Amino acid sequence: MIVCTNKNALLTALDTLKTQGKIIGFVPTMGALHAGHISLIHHSTAECNTTVASIFVNPVQFNNPADLQTYPRTLDADLELLEKNGCDVVFVPQVEDMYPEGTQNLEAYNFGTLETVMEGAFRPGHFNGVAVVVKRLFDLVQPDKAFFGNKDFQQVAIVRELVRRCMLPIEIVACPIVRQSDGLAMSSRNVRLSPEERTQAAKISQTLFAAQTLAQTEILQTVKQYVIDTINAVPELEVEYFDIVDNSTLQSISLWEDAEQAVGCVAVNVGAVRLIDNIAFMR
Ligand code: AMP
């Protein structure tokens, strides 16, 4: 595995691969890698002949400075995991590499109603920061395919829209959520939970699974209220939002029939840690 710590090293490594006509798969991450990230690497190695990953804690997508400061960083373990799982090239840039002109006055994207809801509404500036870094990474790596996790459901929609608007010849592949054995969606932030919080956090996904069953027989409003009340009844958990949305427009629906595919998206504060999860309602 080639580890590139700056742009020039990355471009040199990619030049060689591209002249060999390799199909390049790209997996952008912020590190502190877990089985969810590694599943994206596996999807890429299955579909492409070269897999490039990036590890970059992107400061401009954090709307909360404490979250940025406490974001877990485990570079040595990450590199070991990537190598063991067939990653060919990893790009680990410094902030100055991605933002040579600084992190202020960056390009501004407008994703319309895709970014005015859920994560976009509760984390001002978050998706602009995501779009800025993803576009810069795409421009450097120029992958054929890029792999993202459905855990960040709204992010996938934003990235697809970015690719569409910028007319980038990149296929976006959305991969399933990888969960712990008790159902908790894997997240780099899970390591910041206390043992008690970690136990209680499983109630988030367990409630979503129960809601999936409830949705077979109940109206949407009943299911919505059930999720909010059940999670809020757990002392360590506080729902920031739960919404049931159309999976392509991301807009809130009030009847199951209003969407071809309805998805329930939740953000929950577990002590000082904010977690997100989502579930598709099959009816
Ligand atoms: P992050 O390092 O949190 O920016 O995540 C990098 C990529 O991994 C994103 O595309 C995430 O959606 C994806 N990812 C994170 N957690 C999971 C998970 N539990 N299952 C599948 N993909 C995930």
Side-chain angles (χ1 to χ4, degrees), residues 98-99 101 106-107 132-140:
M98 295 309 296
Y99 300 109
E101 75 294 5
L106 295 170
E107 50 276 35
V132 167
V133 81
V134 168
K135 174 69 165 60
R136 290 182 182 201
L137 288 168
F138 280 177
D139 286 346
L140 286 171

Side-chain angles (χ1 to χ4, degrees), residues 27-40 54 56 61 71 147-153 155-156 173 175-180 184-190 276:
V27 179
T29 82
M30 297 205 297
L33 301 183
H34 51 65
H37 297 111
I38 297 306
S39 76
L40 304 184
S54 62
F56 179 61
Q61 73 183 69
Y71 200 82
F147 297 81
F148 290 84
N150 259 333
K151 155 136 181 313
D152 298 279
F153 179 70
Q155 175 171 277
V156 174
V173 183
C175 305
I177 302 176
V178 177
R179 299 180 179 281
Q180 304 276 0
L184 178 66
M186 291 205 178
S187 163
S188 302
R189 292 182 176 89
N190 290 350
I276 57 170

Side-chain angles (χ1 to χ4, degrees), residues 104-253:
Q104 304 298 314
N105 304 316
L106 295 170
E107 50 276 35
Y109 291 91
N110 177 354
F111 296 105
T113 52
L114 282 183
E115 66 173 344
T116 55
V117 295
M118 302 192 290
E119 291 302 280
F122 284 90
R123 302 184 66 186
H126 169 66
F127 284 125
N128 201 66
V130 169
V132 167
V133 81
V134 168
K135 174 69 165 60
R136 290 182 182 201
L137 288 168
F138 280 177
D139 286 346
L140 286 171
V141 177
Q142 298 187 18
D144 298 285
K145 298 185 180 200
F147 297 81
F148 290 84
N150 259 333
K151 155 136 181 313
D152 298 279
F153 179 70
Q154 192 171 6
Q155 175 171 277
V156 174
I158 295 281
V159 171
R160 284 194 197 284
E161 183 62 12
L162 175 74
V163 163
R164 195 186 68 80
R165 287 189 187 194
C166 299
M167 297 194 288
L168 304 175
I170 301 172
E171 182 188 337
I172 302 302
V173 183
C175 305
I177 302 176
V178 177
R179 299 180 179 281
Q180 304 276 0
S181 56
D182 62 2
L184 178 66
M186 291 205 178
S187 163
S188 302
R189 292 182 176 89
N190 290 350
V191 298
R192 294 179 46 215
L193 299 169
S194 70
E196 178 58 17
E197 288 167 347
R198 168 64 191 83
T199 305
Q200 301 302 339
K203 301 263 168 63
I204 302 168
S205 58
Q206 287 163 6
T207 305
L208 294 181
F209 295 136
Q212 213 177 25
T213 308
L214 211 59
Q216 301 298 321
T217 52
E218 300 297 329
I219 62 166
L220 186 146
Q221 294 307 331
T222 307
V223 172
K224 213 166 170 176
Q225 203 57 50
Y226 164 81
V227 169
I228 295 168
D229 293 347
T230 309
I231 295 177
N232 279 338
V234 182
E236 283 81 3
L237 310 185
E238 193 189 349
V239 173
E240 188 171 70
Y241 67 79
F242 173 67
D243 208 353
I244 299 178
V245 303
D246 177 295
N247 85 327
S248 49
T249 65
L250 305 190
Q251 302 309 295
S252 189
I253 56 170

